[in-house]
Amino acid sequence: MAAKRFRKKPVEIDAVQWTGKNVLEVYTFMHGAPDLKRDIAQDKWQDFTSMHEGKDWHIKTLEDGPNGEAKHVASVGDWIIKGVKGELYPCKPDIFEATYEQVEPPPPVETCGGERSR
């Protein structure tokens, strides 16, 4: 069977660029805001930060299999993308730039109670 051509469907993704310094931003993007009482003890946050700052970040993806061993690595400068099903994966800056363009977030929607949400 001959190869066929495909075009990516126009979907919006969330992404953050790993600068080597934005440990809290990347952690929050991937896992939600840390609960320093539960996730990472407050006195250990500095250890966690120094463990990651300026280094490659191992990204747990859908491809990691049952042992959960991270096979994907985000180097400083790479983008970490959250896909349409919440999956995470790293992307090199040149590929990211060729594939994605920044979009404005949707405007807040007013709910029945008069509250605004996104």
Side-chain angles (χ1 to χ4, degrees):
M1 175 165 28
K4 299 176 183 177
R5 288 190 62 85
F6 293 87
R7 177 183 17 241
K8 259 188 171 178
K9 292 180 180 179
V11 297
E12 293 180 10
I13 52 97
D14 293 314
V16 63
Q17 190 170 28
W18 172 226
T19 66
K21 297 280 186 196
N22 55 337
V23 174
L24 180 58
E25 180 183 17
V26 169
Y27 182 91
T28 300
F29 177 74
M30 293 194 306
H31 305 291
D35 177 346
L36 295 177
K37 293 179 183 157
R38 182 178 50 88
D39 294 338
I40 300 170
Q42 195 160 3
D43 61 334
K44 297 295 181 189
W45 180 252
Q46 187 60 41
D47 293 342
F48 183 83
T49 299
S50 58
M51 227 171 54
H52 286 82
E53 264 189 341
K55 299 180 179 90
D56 291 345
W57 197 306
H58 294 267
I59 308 296
K60 185 170 172 22
T61 70
L62 295 176
E63 300 172 7
D64 291 340
N67 66 359
E69 187 176 314
K71 297 176 185 174
H72 292 83
V73 174
S75 299
V76 172
D78 288 355
W79 286 86
I80 301 168
I81 295 172
K82 189 176 290 181
V84 296
K85 294 194 174 186
E87 73 280 13
L88 297 166
Y89 54 96
C91 184
K92 293 294 178 198
D94 57 334
I95 295 170
F96 187 87
E97 187 177 322
T99 308
Y100 299 101
E101 61 185 18
Q102 188 170 346
V103 297
E104 294 299 318
V109 177
E110 193 167 313
T111 63
C112 294
E115 298 174 8
R116 297 174 74 78
S117 65
R118 291 201 177 258

